[in-house]
Amino acid sequence: MVRVFLLAFLLLVFGLTRQVISHEESGEWSCESNSEIRLQADFRPGVITLDGQADDWEDIDGFEFSLLPALDPDDDHEYKYGKMTVQALHDGNDVFFLLQVEGDYAFSKGDSTKCPSVALMFQIGDDATYHNMGGCKEKKGSCTRQTCKGHEVDIMQFSIGNAIPGRLYGGNPIDNRDGTGYDRYGHLVDVYAWNPHCRYLDGMGPSGNDSSAQNNWKGAWWHSSFTFYSGFVEEDSPYSTGGQKGIYYFEFSRPLRTMDRLQQDVQFRIGGSSKMSVALWYPVDGNPWVGSGHYTINCNWVSLDIGSGGSMLTESAPSSSGDASTTFALLFSIAALCMALFVAYQVSRRNSVPFTPIQNL
């Protein structure tokens, strides 16, 4: 009975995931991408508290993007509420992201399509394209690790319909025990794909499930209209008044490297570069969004550079060494001056002794 319930539950989850990330196109694809865009994740240990709020990101550089429809990146259909700012950093163990997107407050408990949703997508395979979510040509029934090898993309998606502001969601002991990328509490899920029709929760796939998978992501959300800061609970829903202008904050973290052995997670390397994209779903004018109606920051991959802490050490080392040398030289000079004054004083004392002729003795 437990196995039957778990299978049904995971199938429901997969259906929700498919709904969120649906990707259906009509017509010929065209894209005028800004290939020079680069996000920088500098080494900044001990700076970020993962709580969905942006105060600790004030000194971190970010990049502001216009949001265009993913399937038809036309300026005439730009996201009308404003821009999205993306920031990133790492502390040597985890990589952190903050998404700030302007939007009137919208929240409907239990209905994700009436709340904003965001996703991060990363290239895993060398042949994985931004367009068509990996770009494998195989159909749903024929895509496998063999037929779509090299087209893997890693996706983290957060739908906030059941998530309390400021609370952490994502990987948890119960779902990780089942060996999947699911999150039964807040729907912050870890997914991989080869194309829009071949998407699976980590640990699941066309050839069966693998119990070694985990959801390695954690995240939280917030909105600038909130006036209560000591901690929300579920009974406080909807947490603010609908329609208030402001900014949504989505904050995430994940280890730079995971224990994935199935080619389902991107692996970040300090000093290296990865390719990523960011997507937003929003209930424009109060209308529930549909899976294919998402906006993205660019119509191609955006480079993410994982900075090395070595440059910071190299810059600070000469300064520290120079300060020490200067201090030592100053002390040595003072000591030498004191010694010279002492010797001069002793010499002057000896010279001041009166001369007594020997015949007067």
Side-chain angles (χ1 to χ4, degrees):
M1 181 65 182
V2 175
R3 289 179 176 272
V4 173
F5 173 78
L6 179 60
L7 179 59
F9 184 75
L10 292 176
L11 288 174
L12 174 62
V13 169
F14 180 57
L16 292 174
T17 304
R18 288 180 59 84
Q19 180 188 35
V20 170
I21 317 175
S22 295
H23 187 123
E24 298 292 341
E25 291 183 5
S26 60
E28 185 178 350
W29 167 257
S30 63
C31 166
E32 295 182 4
S33 170
N34 185 351
S35 59
E36 297 180 358
I37 299 176
R38 304 191 76 89
L39 290 172
Q40 180 73 23
D42 287 326
F43 176 61
R44 297 291 297 273
V47 173
I48 300 302
T49 299
L50 198 65
D51 57 6
Q53 301 186 44
D55 297 350
D56 41 8
W57 288 85
E58 289 183 355
D59 298 327
I60 308 301
D61 293 334
F63 203 102
E64 185 179 79
F65 296 90
S66 297
L67 292 166
L68 300 179
L71 304 188
D72 182 18
D74 190 325
D75 292 342
D76 293 337
H77 301 126
E78 181 178 344
Y79 175 72
K80 70 177 186 178
Y81 296 98
K83 310 292 185 181
M84 174 184 281
T85 300
V86 182
Q87 295 163 274
L89 63 82
H90 75 94
D91 63 4
N93 294 304
D94 296 327
V95 60
F96 297 83
F97 298 92
L98 179 71
L99 313 180
Q100 303 184 51
V101 60
E102 300 171 55
D104 297 350
Y105 185 68
F107 184 86
S108 180
K109 181 181 175 182
D111 189 348
S112 293
T113 63
K114 293 183 179 180
C115 311
S117 177
V118 294
L120 306 179
M121 182 171 72
F122 302 89
Q123 182 189 52
I124 302 177
D126 292 339
D127 299 324
T129 59
Y130 160 83
H131 182 230
N132 277 335
M133 205 177 296
C136 180
K137 302 298 184 182
E138 299 294 326
K139 302 298 183 182
K140 180 180 177 182
S142 59
C143 54
T144 66
R145 276 192 281 181
Q146 289 73 38
T147 58
C148 289
K149 185 176 178 60
H151 291 274
E152 304 87 355
V153 294
D154 184 11
I155 301 169
M156 184 286 307
Q157 186 269 324
F158 189 22
S159 295
I160 66 173
N162 289 310
I164 301 170
R167 303 296 183 181
L168 277 181
Y169 295 95
N172 62 81
I174 296 177
D175 290 309
N176 283 343
R177 179 193 61 195
D178 296 332
T180 74
Y182 187 54
D183 170 20
R184 69 185 66 194
Y185 301 107
H187 201 78
L188 195 163
V189 296
D190 197 350
V191 181
Y192 72 99
W194 294 300
N195 63 44
H197 311 287
C198 300
R199 303 180 307 280
Y200 302 92
L201 290 167
D202 280 15
M204 302 181 67
S207 58
N209 301 344
D210 189 298
S211 60
S212 69
Q214 290 192 355
N215 185 345
N216 297 106
W217 286 94
K218 295 187 184 302
W221 73 279
W222 198 258
H223 191 267
S224 60
S225 67
F226 296 153
T227 58
F228 186 73
Y229 296 95
S230 61
F232 286 114
V233 294
E234 189 174 5
E235 288 74 21
D236 297 323
S237 176
Y239 314 111
S240 185
T241 304
Q244 290 198 65
K245 296 186 179 302
I247 300 174
Y248 278 96
Y249 303 101
F250 301 92
E251 191 174 27
F252 306 104
S253 74
R254 202 213 75 171
L256 289 167
R257 297 189 67 82
T258 71
M259 297 183 69
D260 168 51
R261 57 185 182 82
L262 302 172
Q263 196 73 341
Q264 296 174 359
D265 287 342
V266 62
Q267 304 299 327
F268 301 108
R269 182 174 60 84
I270 294 176
S273 182
S274 299
K275 295 180 179 179
M276 68 172 295
S277 185
V278 183
L280 168 73
W281 291 258
Y282 185 85
V284 177
D285 297 327
N287 299 314
W289 50 258
V290 295
S292 60
H294 53 297
Y295 301 87
T296 59
I297 60 173
N298 193 32
C299 62
N300 208 336
W301 292 120
V302 171
S303 294
L304 171 68
D305 298 327
I306 308 296
S308 171
S311 58
M312 298 176 63
L313 295 175
T314 302
E315 291 173 1
S316 62
S319 176
S320 300
S321 176
D323 291 344
S325 299
T326 302
T327 303
F328 179 80
L330 178 61
L331 292 175
F332 184 84
S333 299
I334 293 173
L337 178 60
C338 291
M339 181 63 70
L341 292 173
F342 177 78
V343 171
Y345 174 72
Q346 292 298 324
V347 171
S348 66
R349 283 189 60 190
R350 292 191 184 97
N351 291 340
S352 65
V353 176
F355 176 74
T356 305
I358 190 167
Q359 59 269 24
N360 295 333
L361 293 176

